[in-house]
Amino acid sequence: MGLGHIGHIGHIAPERSDRRDGAWLRIRVLGGVSVDGAPGPSRASHRRLLAILLLGDGRCVPADSLVERFWPGPAPRTARAAIHTHVSALRRLVPAGLIVTEHDGYRVETSGVVVDRDDFVERTRHAHAAARSRRWVQAGEQADTALALWSGDPYAELADDDFATAEITRLQELRLQALELRAESLLHQDRARETIAELEWATRTFPLRESLSSLLALARQETGSHAEALRSLRCTELALKELGLEPSPALRDLERQILTHRRALDRRTAADNAAPLRSA
């Protein structure tokens, strides 16, 4: 599943306690599923099973749900026995106690375990909070830390599965928010030139996302490239109109500011008129 155009998702997972202190195990899902300090599952089927269990976020996944999710097509007649066999094999490849039998299913033990997904969400939340308080250096540092955790598409083993779409989309949206927060941080530190290349890539990848093109326009304006700043906005306007959509009033207002050579980046309000921060 490619990233595609992702609409606004303002919800971030509820606050949870920081589990890094005393953690005995770290697991990665941002990219291929892997477990630190263990050989990890090498077979695609075992990685898929672990990804499905991790998607449960510590909750029990009933055996019937595992059967339904493990086989993209019709499950074999011996599916429940096969799931038991796969779980037994997976347990030999990961630290003892990680896969727990519960009721009529299985879950991943979360006590003492840190999943990179949770660190990523937490760091993005901190970046949002710092930006809302206009603490731009801290916002950039937190966004940098969050983005450094991103080594590939989340739950890559489940990219084509409908049951994983909502969580994958949520994490992809948060990645874009972290990227935007990093760009805003650099803009407010008079370091606009440092964010242009990344924003150029992002706007090519997500041409309909107004917040990205607005930030690119602001960065180009800050470096004196007014014509390029206008081109950033008009490319997005054209992409929207091809789909029968109209640019937002905020995008139009930013375009007018650049046309009249008014400085669009307000030190007090950030780029709120053009690329508002999402609330956590």
Side-chain angles (χ1 to χ4, degrees):
M1 180 193 310
L3 285 175
H5 173 59
I6 303 174
H8 165 55
I9 300 176
H11 174 71
I12 297 181
E15 190 74 41
R16 64 176 67 194
S17 60
D18 190 337
R19 295 176 298 183
R20 287 189 296 274
D21 293 339
W24 64 278
L25 186 65
R26 293 175 181 268
I27 298 176
R28 292 186 293 275
V29 301
L30 300 177
V33 171
S34 61
V35 180
D36 285 0
S42 58
R43 292 180 58 179
S45 58
H46 294 155
R47 291 196 304 274
R48 179 173 174 80
L49 176 60
L50 181 56
I52 293 170
L53 292 172
L54 286 166
L55 194 64
D57 196 22
R59 298 181 295 273
C60 176
V61 182
D64 286 344
S65 294
L66 277 175
V67 168
E68 183 180 346
R69 295 178 173 188
F70 188 78
W71 282 275
R77 289 186 297 104
T78 57
R80 287 179 66 95
I83 286 292
H84 178 75
T85 300
H86 282 301
V87 169
S88 296
L90 180 60
R91 279 176 165 151
R92 292 193 292 270
L93 300 171
V94 299
L98 181 63
I99 309 299
V100 178
T101 301
E102 188 173 281
H103 307 303
D104 186 33
Y106 306 92
R107 66 175 178 86
V108 172
E109 175 57 57
T110 57
S111 177
V113 176
V114 170
V115 182
D116 61 352
R117 166 204 63 205
D118 299 331
D119 265 350
F120 170 75
V121 171
E122 181 182 1
R123 297 301 181 186
T124 304
R125 180 188 298 114
H126 289 333
H128 274 284
R132 285 194 295 269
S133 301
R134 311 306 183 217
R135 291 177 283 117
W136 294 110
V137 173
Q138 185 178 349
E141 290 172 348
Q142 292 292 335
D144 275 337
T145 303
L147 291 166
L149 293 167
W150 195 278
S151 59
D153 287 342
Y155 297 100
E157 292 79 5
L158 309 178
D160 298 321
D161 294 282
D162 290 343
F163 65 82
T165 298
E167 176 64 1
I168 291 173
T169 300
R170 181 183 79 102
L171 293 170
Q172 289 170 335
E173 165 64 18
L174 290 180
R175 181 198 182 194
L176 291 178
Q177 291 185 22
L179 189 154
E180 290 168 352
L181 286 163
R182 177 161 66 188
E184 280 199 281
S185 170
L186 291 170
L187 282 168
H188 283 275
Q189 296 178 67
D190 292 320
R191 297 165 60 189
R193 199 173 301 279
E194 296 176 38
T195 192
I196 288 176
E198 182 173 59
L199 287 171
E200 286 175 339
W201 165 82
T203 54
R204 286 194 302 269
T205 308
F206 308 99
L208 301 179
R209 192 175 177 96
E210 290 189 8
S211 50
L212 285 172
S213 61
S214 296
L215 285 166
L216 178 57
L218 287 167
R220 284 173 166 167
Q221 186 196 35
E222 287 291 289
T223 57
S225 302
H226 295 279
E228 289 297 316
L230 287 171
R231 187 174 293 113
S232 302
L233 300 180
R234 287 170 179 169
C235 285
T236 296
E237 291 174 5
L238 180 60
L240 289 167
K241 287 182 176 179
E242 286 177 348
L243 295 177
L245 303 173
E246 286 296 321
S248 69
L251 200 73
R252 293 294 198 192
D253 184 58
L254 178 58
E255 184 177 12
R256 285 192 295 270
Q257 292 181 61
I258 294 173
L259 276 169
T260 56
H261 290 266
R262 284 185 288 151
R263 191 167 186 269
L265 181 65
D266 185 316
R267 291 289 166 185
R268 182 181 60 81
T269 62
D272 289 343
N273 290 332
L277 294 172
R278 260 70 68 185
S279 297

